[in-house]
Each structure stands twice: as structure tokens, then as C-alpha cells.
Amino acid sequence: MSKLTQRKSMDYIKKQYRETRKMPGSWYLSNYKYKYNITHLQPFLKKLKEKKLVGLKCSGCNTVYYPPRFVCGKCLVKPNRWVDLRETGKVSTFAIAYLKDPETGEIQEKPMVLVHHDGADTASIAQLNPEVDFKDTYIGMPIKAHWAENPVGGLMDVEYYDLMKDDAKDLDLPED
Amino acid sequence: MDKVGIVGFYQVKLYSDANYGRYEMIFEAVRGAIDSAGLKKKDITTAISCTNDYYDGRTISNCYTVEVGGGYMADESKVEMDGAHAVLYGLMRILSGNHKLSLVWGGSMASCFPYHAARLYETDPTWERPVAYVNDITAAGFQMRAYLEKYGVSIEDIAKIAVKNRKNASRNPLALQEAQNANITVKDVLDSEIYADPVTELMVAQPCDGVAALLLAPEKQALKITDNPVWITGVGYNQETYYLGDRDLTKSMSMELAGKMAFDAAGIKDPKKEIDLAEFFEAYAHEEVIFSEALGLVDMGEGTNLNSEIDGDIPINPSGGAIGGNPPCGTGLIRIIEAAKQLKGEADGYQVKDAKKAIASGQIGMCAQNNIVYILEGGN
Ligand SMILES: [Zn+2]
């Protein structure tokens, strides 16, 4: 180790920066156009308008993607078989987010969920019915799509998910 | 893989709001690393940086770090991932046989921008953003809950990891002051502000200000520069699918595969027995558990039962890990430096006894989508 160079350069560094100027600035890039070709999604959007759900199945690995994906990463092919899905599903996991209203400052507790639709192999980010008490949420909770009154054939046609009555019983496992 | 030597390193003290600018911080790290090896600017044959345009508030952010970052009239390039990925680039330059000394530096100043807000824009603009605001913290909430549910692990067990890392950080003078707490309890962690239930504030690796730098050299050259280099004997990296809903969040497939690749390269057959310590980039406390399981340091679902204290069975994050301070773009690089310090016996105050082989990891993406693992070995 060269002590000479170290002392010299460290002297410069260790100097107290008593004044660090902070320049307020912005790096404003908000006007971005996200392009997404929806041609291959037409069947999905058409079905949404009829309040029906379809997933896209990969012929390489049989994975049913919901929401439909452009490409199956595993096989690097375009999944091309549409399959009907039920509008029911389960909460596969969730987190409770705390969102602050920028105007009132009021904090809203909101469960954010990953929903696994019956018949699909993947899950998607979604929201629960705002009337659901977040304390009631649990993994495996049965839920059902809540449709917009007048679906337009867009992603937000499923506004959120309603709770379904869970009539499954816990298994009585014999104790060891 | 031919082994590559780590011949110098330097990390600046981490601050939540540093009272100095980015240039000085980068310079301190880069000059410090070169001085630690007793070298000069002209010895650098290739310089790799790791920064991010958004984090630096500047387009092509490496255009203005040329002078302080050792890139002046040099073979220079940038990686916009984690610092540990920049080390991979530097390593490849060395292994190409064309370079004798590779400088790698990375880091940024999280005090200058809203880090977690920036990560809201990581989700899919078509499919996810219209539905819900999900950022890295919410995603971590998804993952932690899925893990707890699958293995019946309690939140307290995860909080213990945060306690251990914050206690370890209190022994590491370069760690973030806010993260250093020798007397922290599980209750403190659980009582801290809820970020995205079940993730609380003290389970989060707080983004902060910091830069680190590292010097790599091929074997022969490394031995000319120093008597006790630390060797990189294996590296592995892997990436899993982007959409959270397509993954099994209770485990990390990408870490498992990255680990396998690194162990194969380094000839490690039984990581449980052969690895003396690990330094992980755990952006959240539960990630440390998932990583140690993925790498086979402990059985699946048993991660929270591993004694990972500094004097434990396999010490994990003796430096405090990323929870001890998380400068975006620098954290994974710091993990490599900390592992190297342990192997050189220079981890004053948090030294692991008889450390010969170590793991260091870096990551990027929600729920650690992309992982990179290094195997480091000490001695000649
Ligand atoms: Zn496929």
C-alpha cells in the first residue's frame, strides 16, 4: 500500500463539506406513450364485454396464462389457445397497503391481492371490494369477479373481486 | 472458471442524507480503492460503473462520472442493475484476457429522489398499473405473507432477522447510522411503522446514500499487486419471470439456479458444510431466509431456524447486510466487499472466525427477480 498517495487523496476527502448546496430540480419524463399491440388480445377483450373470462394457453407447456400473455417465457412462443375460465378464484397472497389521500391526508387501509383464477396457472394483481374488511382477508380466500355495470371490453371491466362464502371446512387431522 | 483476484476495495460511510455531493462520494470510493491497492490511475485498464439514470436525475448518467469514476480516456461502460452485476461485467473483461486491472464502482444517493415511488413504475403499464398501485414494498408484502403461510412461520421469526442484521450493523462502522442498533428487540421491529402489512419499516433495507468500488485483476497480476488477494472462484446469475403472479413467491428459483451455477464453477458440492459465511442483498428481512433456503444453506422452510449470528452455524450478513444500509446500485457490490473483508480477516468488530469460503449476492427487481451469486475464497 502506498501511504503517500493515500494520505494525499484522503486529506482531500476527509475535509468537512460544511456547505452542500441542494438544487431543487426535476427530471420530468411523465409524457410517455406505452405502446401495446392488442390485436392478439381481441378474443379476450370481446369476451370481457360479455362478462366472460378467457385465459391463453401455451401449446408448448400447457400453462394457462391469465391475464393472457403475449409470449410464454418458458417456451419462447406465442401462446395461442384460448380457454374459458371461471370467474371465481382464490387469493393466492396479499399485502395490506396504506394509501394516503393527497388532499385530506386520510390514510386508507387497502388489501392488495394476487388473484388466482380457477382454471388458470398464473395469478394477477387485483383489488378486493372496498367493502371487504381487510382483517378478513386470508390466503386461499374464495373470491369472484365483480363486473362493471356496462363492460366496455377493457381490463377494468372486472372492477374488483367480491368475497364468496367459504363453506370449506378445515380438515380434522389426527394429532400425533 | 479461472480465478480472478479482488485486489482492492473501498466503501464510503453510508448516510441517509449525506452532506456531500455525488462527485465527491464517487471519488472517495474510487480513489480509496486504488489507494488500498497502492496503484495509480494509469493502472486501470477498464472501468465499469453501476448507476441509474433515474436515480442520478440525468440521462446517460455515466457521462458525467467519467473524471471521478476513473473512466477518463479509459475503456469505460455502465451497468444499470445492481453493483454486483457490474462486478460480473468487470470480471468478464478480466476473463477475456484483455485487461489487467478492472475498476468497478456503483452507488447512488437515495436522499435525492423518492426511491419507493420510483419503483411504482416497475409494474406493467398495461396490465398492472391501471388495476392497483404496487411497488417493491407491496410486492415484498405479497412474498412475505406467502412464505409465512406456506411454512407456518411467525412474523416474529422474520423480525428476528431484522434484529440480527441491525445488531450486526451496530458493529460495522460503515453501516447506516439509522440501521445501527445494538439493543433492538423483536418488539421494536414489529411496532415500527407498517409499510405493507406484514412488512414493517425496520424489516426494510432503507435506501440511502453511498458508493463503493472494487478492483479486479487476473491471477498472476493479482499476486503482483498484493500478497493476500481474495479470489472469485465462481459466479452464477439467473432471472425469473417478470409477473409476480407467474412465480411461486415462497421460494426463489432464480437464486437457486444462480447458486447452482456458482457452486458448479467453484467446485462446491455441499454448501452447508463448505460455506463459512454469506453476505446477501436482502432488500427485506424475509428475503434473507428465502435466499439461504434457495442456496441450500438450510432446508426449505427451515430458514428462520438457522443460527446465522456472527458466531453461529453459518453467519449471514455479519456486516448487517442490506438492512445495514442500501444505497441503490451499490448494495450488492458492498456485499462482495464485506465478504472479502471477512476472508482477509479485516472485518474489525464483526469478524467471523476462520472464514475461508464465502457467498456474496446481489439482486434486482421485485421480490428479487434477478439474482447474482459469487463464491469468494481467501488465501493464496
Ligand atoms: Zn410455454
Side-chain angles (χ1 to χ4, degrees), chain B residues 48-51 77-92 102-106 216 329 333 372 374:
Chain B
I48 312 291
S49 64
C50 183
T51 53
S77 189
K78 179 181 103 170
V79 171
E80 196 157 311
M81 290 173 84
D82 181 31
H85 293 91
V87 174
L88 175 65
Y89 195 173
L91 186 80
M92 287 175 171
S102 161
L103 161 73
V104 183
W105 66 265
L216 298 172
C329 294
L333 180 54
I372 181 161
Y374 290 86

Side-chain angles (χ1 to χ4, degrees), chain B residues 152-231:
Chain B
V153 171
S154 69
I155 298 181
E156 284 78 5
D157 287 336
I158 301 294
K160 276 182 203 158
I161 304 286
V163 166
K164 175 199 59 135
N165 288 0
R166 284 170 189 276
K167 279 187 177 169
N168 288 353
S170 72
R171 300 160 75 162
N172 173 3
L174 295 179
L176 183 66
Q177 195 195 337
E178 286 83 346
Q180 295 173 316
N181 189 342
N183 306 312
I184 191 170
T185 63
V186 166
K187 194 172 176 300
D188 294 337
V189 175
L190 297 178
D191 289 350
S192 62
E193 199 185 331
I194 300 178
Y195 269 30
D197 187 318
V199 174
T200 64
E201 185 186 356
L202 296 182
M203 295 179 194
V204 181
Q206 187 190 327
C208 65
D209 298 351
V211 176
L214 183 78
L215 297 175
L216 298 172
E219 187 174 355
K220 262 192 187 164
Q221 184 70 11
L223 290 170
K224 275 186 209 160
I225 296 170
T226 167
D227 296 334
N228 60 340
V230 169
W231 302 109

Side-chain angles (χ1 to χ4, degrees), chain A residues 68-123:
Chain A
R69 297 280 151 72
F70 182 58
V71 160
C72 171
K74 208 172 176 181
C75 310
L76 200 64
V77 296
K78 286 186 183 180
N80 55 3
R81 280 183 291 160
W82 292 98
V83 292
D84 292 328
L85 295 182
R86 292 169 188 243
E87 54 180 11
T88 55
K90 287 185 186 65
V91 170
S92 81
T93 184
F94 69 100
I96 297 156
Y98 294 80
L99 303 175
K100 198 173 178 180
D101 190 304
E103 276 164 26
T104 62
E106 200 184 320
I107 290 176
Q108 196 192 1
E109 286 170 312
K110 203 170 198 177
M112 300 275 190
V113 293
L114 275 184
V115 172
H116 193 151
H117 267 275
D118 292 335
D121 291 316
T122 61

Side-chain angles (χ1 to χ4, degrees), chain A residues 58-63 65 72-77:
Chain A
C58 171
S59 26
C61 64
N62 284 335
T63 303
Y65 289 99
C72 171
K74 208 172 176 181
C75 310
L76 200 64
V77 296

Side-chain angles (χ1 to χ4, degrees), chain B residues 328-352:
Chain B
C329 294
T331 313
L333 180 54
I334 294 174
R335 304 281 70 75
I336 297 169
I337 292 175
E338 287 297 344
K341 275 187 198 165
Q342 291 286 351
L343 298 173
K344 286 167 83 84
E346 291 175 3
D348 209 10
Y350 53 102
Q351 179 66 44
V352 172

Side-chain angles (χ1 to χ4, degrees), chain A residues 1-2 5-10 12-14 16-22 26-27 29 34-36 38 40-41 44-45 65-69 92-99 109 112-114 116 121-127 134 137-140 155-156 158-159, chain B residues 10 17-21 24 27-29 31-32 35-40 53-55 57-60 111 121 123-134 137-147 149-150 194-198 241 243-246 249:
Chain A
M1 181 181 287
S2 158
T5 51
Q6 184 185 35
R7 199 167 56 243
K8 238 196 287 185
S9 50
M10 289 300 135
Y12 168 63
I13 290 153
K14 289 277 153 62
Q16 278 291 316
Y17 285 89
R18 280 189 295 160
E19 229 184 299
T20 294
R21 214 174 267 192
K22 285 181 187 160
S26 60
W27 199 53
L29 294 173
Y34 293 99
K35 285 191 182 177
Y36 193 87
I38 57 166
H40 71 291
L41 289 176
F44 170 68
L45 299 173
Y65 289 99
Y66 181 85
R69 297 280 151 72
S92 81
T93 184
F94 69 100
I96 297 156
Y98 294 80
L99 303 175
E109 286 170 312
M112 300 275 190
V113 293
L114 275 184
H116 193 151
D121 291 316
T122 61
S124 52
I125 293 171
Q127 293 196 28
F134 72 94
T137 323
Y138 61 94
I139 291 181
L155 195 59
M156 296 313 288
V158 176
E159 287 180 328
Chain B
Y10 189 96
D17 189 3
N19 190 29
Y20 60 149
E24 288 89 351
F27 178 70
E28 177 181 342
R31 187 71 237 183
D35 288 348
S36 78
L39 298 171
K40 294 198 174 83
D53 288 3
Y54 182 84
Y55 299 168
R58 195 177 304 223
T59 308
I60 328 280
S111 62
Y121 300 97
T123 50
D124 188 308
T126 312
W127 293 101
E128 295 173 333
R129 283 187 219 164
V131 181
Y133 284 117
V134 169
I137 302 178
T138 328
F142 286 156
Q143 182 169 45
M144 179 168 158
R145 172 131 17 223
Y147 181 85
E149 175 84 10
K150 173 148 185 191
I194 300 178
Y195 269 30
D197 187 318
T241 179
Y243 295 100
L244 295 172
D246 294 9
L249 292 177

